[in-house]
């Protein structure tokens, strides 16, 4: 059989460094389970791929001009992000979080800038989701956890637009 074998690998160090990006391909599982992982580029979870966060990930804008530019996590249709209990994902500065696939959040996801959930996406939140700036949910959002729509320190609300199905 010339069947492809799924790969399971740690994200740090970057398993496929090219232009400061990480691509998690179909059948592969990219795992972060160690100390804080700082990403200054793009992470794309392709159809059939899984990104599993078991620790803390900081998605950062490369303000020093190091070539990283805008940091983005994209979960494509058929892709899966698992943010486990006691784990954190911090989308800092002007980083983007684009979801066309599925997100299962049992931990803590906090976005300073942009969260975009496309039509057909599924976001299951049983943890904490904090929107500090702007979010548009066009897919299905199932919440059994906490949603905080505010900017810390001054309690101003983020812009949260729910166009899709909200449970």
């Amino acid at each position: 059989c010339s069947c492809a074998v799924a790969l399971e690998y740690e994200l740090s160090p970057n398993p496929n460094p090219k232009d400061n990006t990480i691509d998690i391909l179909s059948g592969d599982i990219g795992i972060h389970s160690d100390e804080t992982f700082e990403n200054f580029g793009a992470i794309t979870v392709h159809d059939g791929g899984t990104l599993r966060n078991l620790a803390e990930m900081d998605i950062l804008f490369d303000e020093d001009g190091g070539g990283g530019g805008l940091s983005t996590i994209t979960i494509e249709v058929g892709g899966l992000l698992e943010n486990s209990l006691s784990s954190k994902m911090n989308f800092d500065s002007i980083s983007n979080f684009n979801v066309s696939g599925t997100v299962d959040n049992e931990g803590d996801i906090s976005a300073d800038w942009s969260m975009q959930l496309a039509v057909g996406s599924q976001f299951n939140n049983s943890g904490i989701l904090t929107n500090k700036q702007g979010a548009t949910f066009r897919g299905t959002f199932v919440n059994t956890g906490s949603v905080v729509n505010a900017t810390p320190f001054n309690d101003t609300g983020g812009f949260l637009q729910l166009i899709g199905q909200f449970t």
Side-chain angles (χ1 to χ4, degrees), residues 32 36-37 51-59 73 81-92 97 103-112 115 123-132 141 143 145-150 152:
H32 171 62
T36 301
F37 175 69
L51 171 58
R52 186 173 295 147
N53 182 36
L54 305 171
E56 182 172 347
M57 293 181 76
D58 291 330
I59 316 305
I73 287 191
L81 166 63
E82 297 173 343
N83 193 48
S84 68
L85 192 64
S86 301
S87 63
K88 296 183 102 171
M89 292 188 81
N90 301 308
F91 291 84
D92 294 333
F97 186 28
V103 174
D104 290 330
N105 178 40
E106 295 178 349
D108 185 342
I109 293 178
S110 179
D112 283 1
M115 278 191 293
F123 196 109
N124 304 308
N125 181 53
S126 59
I128 301 168
L129 175 64
T130 303
N131 173 46
K132 298 179 186 175
F141 182 65
N143 182 53
S146 298
V147 176
V148 179
N149 191 42

Side-chain angles (χ1 to χ4, degrees), residues 8-139:
E8 188 168 313
Y9 48 81
E10 283 283 340
L11 292 185
S12 183
N14 186 338
N16 48 0
K18 179 185 173 225
D19 301 325
N20 210 21
T21 65
I22 296 175
D23 286 306
I24 300 172
L25 304 175
S26 180
D28 291 353
I29 301 173
I31 299 172
H32 171 62
S33 62
D34 204 356
E35 58 192 49
T36 301
F37 175 69
E38 294 183 344
N39 182 66
F40 289 97
I43 297 176
T44 302
V45 181
H46 297 275
D47 182 10
T50 300
L51 171 58
R52 186 173 295 147
N53 182 36
L54 305 171
E56 182 172 347
M57 293 181 76
D58 291 330
I59 316 305
L60 305 168
F61 178 71
D62 189 358
E63 298 171 1
D64 297 329
L70 185 64
S71 296
T72 302
I73 287 191
T74 301
I75 312 299
E76 292 185 344
V77 173
L80 173 63
L81 166 63
E82 297 173 343
N83 193 48
S84 68
L85 192 64
S86 301
S87 63
K88 296 183 102 171
M89 292 188 81
N90 301 308
F91 291 84
D92 294 333
S93 191
I94 58 172
S95 53
N96 290 322
F97 186 28
N98 302 315
V99 179
S100 295
T102 301
V103 174
D104 290 330
N105 178 40
E106 295 178 349
D108 185 342
I109 293 178
S110 179
D112 283 1
W113 193 251
S114 174
M115 278 191 293
Q116 302 295 318
L117 277 68
V119 172
S121 65
Q122 174 87 26
F123 196 109
N124 304 308
N125 181 53
S126 59
I128 301 168
L129 175 64
T130 303
N131 173 46
K132 298 179 186 175
Q133 183 70 27
T136 302
F137 291 3
R138 291 181 177 87

